[in-house]
């Protein structure tokens, strides 16, 4: 009886894991064509990028320290990423709209560093580094934990970075094999954020339509 009970319990656990992974896969499918989220999260800095906000802005590590770039993204932990605006425009409709709006300036353009406009963003340097390394023709940063992946995927959706969303979603699927429940929770939260974002977008379009008719 004991042995039979153990076998039954093991089968139950296997079926439960299969069910969780199936749920994760279902939610991930809903993320593939979606590029926006209103939620962001922060994470602990990795050892490769020290955190010292009190000392003033730091220049991000290579390749985001080049002087020939034309714009700076400043993270919440006070790192300046020197980037090419054309790379951001090609990778992100969000940045394309921000940087190409006629007769407008990006947020923070009043601030200049090395003669470049500064755009403050709501992500930390680890998250931004993950995203930019997917967009740039350089080695991608290895995302080994869900704690690193979640804020990066949220930010990719916020910035509408199609390639980054695809890359990070595949990584989430792989990590789901090791951490099915955590991965499912992340996927569910992201899909919920997308649904909320979609409702607000539809309401906004309806409001604009009514205003136009008036």
């Amino acid at each position: 009886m004991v042995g039979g009970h153990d076998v039954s319990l093991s089968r139950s656990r296997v079926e439960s894991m299969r069910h969780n992974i199936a749920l994760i896969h279902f939610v991930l499918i809903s993320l593939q064509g979606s590029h926006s989220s209103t939620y962001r999260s922060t994470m602990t800095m990795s050892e490769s990028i020290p955190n010292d906000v009190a000392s003033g802005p730091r220049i991000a590590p290579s390749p985001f320290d080049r002087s020939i770039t034309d714009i700076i993204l400043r993270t919440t932990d006070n790192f300046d990423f020197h980037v090419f605006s054309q790379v951001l425009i090609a990778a992100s409709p969000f940045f394309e709209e921000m940087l190409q709006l006629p007769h407008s300036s990006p947020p923070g353009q009043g601030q200049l560093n090395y003669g470049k406009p500064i755009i403050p963003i709501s992500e930390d340097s680890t998250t931004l580094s993950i995203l930019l390394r997917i967009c740039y023709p350089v080695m991608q940063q290895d995302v080994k934990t869900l704690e690193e992946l979640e804020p990066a995927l949220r930010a990719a959706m916020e910035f509408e970075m199609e390639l980054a969303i695809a890359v990070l979603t595949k990584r989430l699927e792989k990590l789901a094999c090791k951490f099915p429940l955590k991965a499912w929770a992340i996927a569910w939260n992201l899909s919920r954020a997308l649904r909320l974002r979609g409702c607000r977008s539809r309401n906004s379009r309806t409001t604009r339509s009514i205003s136009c008719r008036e």
Side-chain angles (χ1 to χ4, degrees), residues 114-182:
Y114 300 97
K116 306 171 189 178
I118 301 172
I119 300 179
I121 63 171
S122 299
E123 283 69 36
D124 66 25
S125 52
T126 301
T127 297
L128 185 60
S129 178
I130 291 172
L131 292 182
L132 292 179
R133 285 182 174 276
I134 294 175
C135 301
Y136 268 65
V138 297
M139 290 292 293
Q140 294 184 12
Q141 188 168 328
D142 189 15
V143 182
K144 298 180 180 179
T145 68
L146 291 172
E147 288 74 20
E148 288 180 328
L149 187 145
E150 180 179 8
L153 184 51
R154 286 180 182 272
M157 293 162 60
E158 174 72 21
F159 296 142
E160 304 176 49
M161 293 178 169
E162 184 176 351
L163 176 60
I165 292 171
V167 170
L168 294 172
T169 297
K170 288 183 179 179
R171 185 57 183 161
L172 179 58
E173 290 175 339
K174 291 182 179 179
L175 289 174
C177 296
K178 294 183 178 180
F179 312 102
L181 292 180
K182 287 184 179 180

Side-chain angles (χ1 to χ4, degrees), residues 33-81:
S34 305
H35 305 130
S36 299
S37 171
T38 57
Y39 296 94
R40 301 179 185 179
S41 59
T42 57
M43 59 169 289
T44 302
M45 287 297 300
S46 67
E47 294 180 358
S48 61
I49 305 180
N51 183 11
D52 188 1
V53 176
S55 65
R58 293 172 176 265
I59 298 178
S62 179
F64 308 114
D65 57 351
R66 302 182 65 181
S67 61
I68 61 173
T69 55
D70 61 341
I71 202 167
I72 295 174
L73 299 181
R74 178 165 293 171
T75 62
T76 54
D77 50 352
N78 229 20
F79 277 84
D80 284 351
F81 284 71

